[in-house]
């Protein structure tokens, strides 16, 4: 049997190290690479096509959820396991919406993580009992949330730009980071502000923080 | 305290320095509700011969209990932890066991939190996003009776806090 290739994405050195040790203790599993941002995670996933991507939610440049969306689109064979310290119903729903098929809290046990990677490597979903309860309790009510549906109206590129702007980058910096023209970036920004019904960068930042696109 | 006297050839002089004996590893206790973080810390520290992990705790009460029983040299302490949180743990440790040094290791990149941690009696403040090498520097500082603040903060602020 071939080894299961796993990519670890977290911006904290210590967390990556802990995950690596845990994964490498398991026979037949190899960590093929590590990433420190969502963007790096997407790049390395495309390049190395791991079986499982283990990814944190709060990361610089591109958050884990938007990175998950891109990975699911670009590498549908790679399963995504989201790990987070956010113990909130809202995040649990967003994780599923992004296309991840596994979700483990950082405070869950090591055994949960191992079981999650095991399930995902066989293309089976994994959620702890507590998370499953949250999903069931929220079924139906999530679509009714106006903020959520508003957020869903943004395209992947627009959400990406929203995060970079909210992190304090200028339109010019965003454009060069994404390899697009400054003018294109300006158009995106105008569209984002129109769709979210905000009228200044300050409001945009506030929106991004409230909806957990970036950390406060 | 045992001291060792030696000649540092790298300095190409005959001046004699005293340094702390590094033969006895410092006893470190880990306190974080995230098992991956504890595992990462354990792995990092056990790869050196300077430190040994004497215990691990995953919430505030457990931390206080273990610290009282084990009397570690240093506690590496998370802030966002269940019952009671890290700041309260630091405060209680500082009151009842002031000889135990506290190194806060947190994701909170905020000057307010830094102030609160120092006020609670922490001797060091490091961010989880900092390079892992800094952890060793921080522990070394605390071990030798100095303070340590993550370089992500203004150095002036750090100095002012420990005055």
């Amino acid at each position: 049997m071939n080894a299961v290739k796993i990519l670890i994405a977290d911006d904290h050195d210590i967390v990556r190290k802990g995950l690596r040790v845990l994964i490498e203790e398991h026979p037949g599993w190899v960590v093929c690479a590590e990433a420190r941002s969502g963007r790096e995670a997407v790049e390395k996933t495309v390049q190395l096509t791991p079986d499982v991507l283990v990814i944190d939610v709060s990361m610089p440049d591109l958050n884990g959820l938007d990175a998950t969306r891109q990975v699911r689109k670009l590498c549908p064979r790679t399963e995504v396991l989201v790990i987070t310290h956010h113990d909130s119903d809202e995040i649990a729903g967003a994780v599923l919406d992004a296309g991840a098929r596994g979700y483990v809290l950082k405070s869950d046990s090591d055994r949960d993580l191992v079981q999650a990677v095991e399930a995902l490597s066989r293309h089976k979903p994994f959620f702890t009992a507590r998370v499953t309860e949250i999903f069931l309790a929220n079924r139906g009510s999530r679509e009714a949330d106006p903020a959520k549906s508003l957020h869903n109206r943004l395209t992947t590129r627009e959400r990406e730009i929203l995060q970079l702007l909210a992190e304090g980058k200028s339109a010019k910096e965003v454009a060069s980071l994404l390899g697009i023209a400054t003018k294109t970036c300006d158009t995106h920004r105008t569209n984002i502000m129109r769709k979210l019904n905000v009228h200044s960068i300050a409001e945009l930042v506030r929106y991004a923080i409230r909806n957990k696109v970036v950390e406060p | 305290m045992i001291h060792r006297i030696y000649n540092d050839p790298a300095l190409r002089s005959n001046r004699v320095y005293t340094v702390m004996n590094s033969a006895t590893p410092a006893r470190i206790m880990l306190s974080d509700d995230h098992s991956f973080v504890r595992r990462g810390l354990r792995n990092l520290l056990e790869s050196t011969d300077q430190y040994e992990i004497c215990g691990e705790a995953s919430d505030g009460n457990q931390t206080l209990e273990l610290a009282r029983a084990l009397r570690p040299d240093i506690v590496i302490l998370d802030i966002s932890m269940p019952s009671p949180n890290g700041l309260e743990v630091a405060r209680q440790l500082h009151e009842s066991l002031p000889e135990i040094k506290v190194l806060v290791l947190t994701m909170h990149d905020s000057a307010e939190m830094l102030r609160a941690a120092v006020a609670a009696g922490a001797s060091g403040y490091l961010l989880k996003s900092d390079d892992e090498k800094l952890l060793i520097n921080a522990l070394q500082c605390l071990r030798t009776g100095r303070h340590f603040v993550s370089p992500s903060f203004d150095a002036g602020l750090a100095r002012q806090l420990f005055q």
Side-chain angles (χ1 to χ4, degrees):
Chain A
M1 203 183 106
N2 285 336
V4 176
K5 279 198 299 183
I6 297 155
L7 197 144
I8 298 171
D10 195 300
D11 54 331
H12 297 157
D13 287 4
I14 275 301
V15 175
R16 285 201 312 280
K17 185 173 279 258
L19 286 170
R20 177 183 274 273
V21 172
L22 183 62
I23 287 169
E24 287 183 340
E25 275 172 6
H26 195 285
W29 291 0
V30 280
V31 175
C32 62
E34 294 182 9
R36 292 159 175 267
S37 74
R39 191 168 309 287
E40 209 186 327
V42 174
E43 277 162 18
K44 290 191 170 165
T45 301
V46 169
Q47 198 188 332
L48 303 167
T49 57
D51 298 293
V52 181
L53 164 65
V54 179
I55 190 167
D56 180 30
V57 172
S58 335
M59 276 195 295
D61 277 356
L62 184 69
N63 69 54
L65 295 183
D66 284 328
T68 298
R69 284 194 186 85
Q70 296 193 12
V71 163
R72 294 301 289 162
K73 204 153 106 195
L74 299 167
C75 300
R77 289 290 298 167
T78 296
E79 295 286 357
V80 181
L81 171 61
V82 172
I83 52 165
T84 168
H85 54 259
H86 295 287
D87 185 7
S88 84
D89 300 8
E90 207 180 323
I91 289 282
V95 166
L96 204 60
D97 285 344
R101 303 221 298 155
Y103 173 60
V104 173
L105 291 174
K106 285 186 182 169
S107 51
D108 283 338
S109 71
D110 290 353
R111 207 188 48 209
D112 286 326
L113 183 104
V114 169
Q115 284 180 348
V117 173
E118 219 154 43
L120 289 182
S121 69
R122 285 181 284 113
H123 298 285
K124 299 268 186 289
F126 179 92
F127 298 100
T128 56
R130 214 192 48 75
V131 171
T132 310
E133 264 169 41
I134 294 175
F135 287 151
L136 293 177
N138 287 3
R139 208 156 54 118
S141 65
R142 282 196 293 121
E143 288 76 12
D145 183 349
K148 187 126 288 163
S149 54
L150 205 58
H151 192 59
N152 282 344
R153 261 194 273 151
L154 296 184
T155 63
T156 308
R157 184 36 63 98
E158 284 166 351
R159 268 197 305 271
E160 209 173 346
I161 291 171
L162 170 64
Q163 176 173 353
L164 293 169
L165 291 173
E167 285 175 352
K169 296 192 173 67
S170 68
K172 209 171 150 192
E173 287 169 314
V174 172
S176 93
L177 203 61
L178 298 178
I180 57 177
T182 311
K183 214 164 167 193
T184 313
C185 183
D186 281 334
T187 311
H188 280 304
R189 184 178 54 189
T190 311
N191 288 340
I192 294 166
M193 290 173 72
R194 180 174 44 76
K195 285 183 183 178
L196 299 179
N197 195 27
V198 300
H199 307 285
S200 67
I201 285 292
E203 274 184 86
L204 197 69
V205 172
R206 197 168 60 163
Y207 174 89
I209 291 172
R210 252 198 212 152
N211 289 279
K212 306 219 165 54
V213 177
V214 292
E215 292 279 298
Chain B
M1 198 179 295
I2 310 159
H3 285 83
R4 188 171 52 154
I5 296 171
Y6 79 116
N7 220 338
D8 191 348
L11 291 169
R12 271 179 271 141
S13 80
N14 290 322
R15 285 163 66 196
V16 172
Y17 293 83
T18 58
V19 293
M20 203 175 177
N21 188 351
S22 54
T24 346
R27 296 171 66 244
I28 313 285
M29 201 185 113
L30 308 179
S31 168
D32 198 303
D33 58 330
H34 296 162
S35 66
F36 315 139
V37 174
R38 294 198 308 273
R39 202 177 268 265
L41 288 170
R42 180 177 274 278
N43 185 261
L44 177 67
L45 295 179
E46 283 182 344
S47 66
T48 74
D49 51 6
Q50 305 274 306
Y51 302 99
E52 68 177 40
I53 311 291
C54 63
E56 289 188 20
S58 58
D59 68 40
N61 284 321
Q62 208 184 7
T63 307
L64 289 167
E65 230 168 82
L66 268 183
R68 284 185 193 118
L70 300 171
R71 304 291 170 106
D73 297 311
I74 300 172
V75 177
I76 300 180
L77 182 68
D78 184 24
I79 289 184
S80 318
M81 243 189 340
S83 62
N85 70 38
L87 287 180
E88 184 53 34
V89 171
R91 199 170 293 122
Q92 293 193 26
L93 281 180
H94 190 60
E95 268 172 27
S96 57
L97 300 163
E99 66 281 9
I100 299 180
K101 300 268 189 280
V102 170
L103 172 63
V104 166
L105 177 64
T106 173
M107 50 171 283
H108 294 288
D109 185 358
S110 111
E112 284 319 300
M113 200 57 98
L114 166 62
R115 276 178 217 278
V118 173
S123 304
Y125 193 98
L126 190 66
L127 296 175
K128 286 188 180 166
S129 50
D130 282 333
D131 193 299
E132 61 182 36
K133 287 185 202 90
L134 287 177
L135 179 79
I136 302 290
N137 294 352
L139 289 175
Q140 199 55 35
C141 282
L142 263 60
R143 230 190 142 170
T144 49
R146 287 170 292 155
H147 299 113
F148 185 92
V149 172
S150 161
S152 313
F153 293 97
D154 179 56
L157 168 70
R159 268 196 304 276
Q160 178 204 332
L161 283 176
F162 284 111
Q163 250 168 25

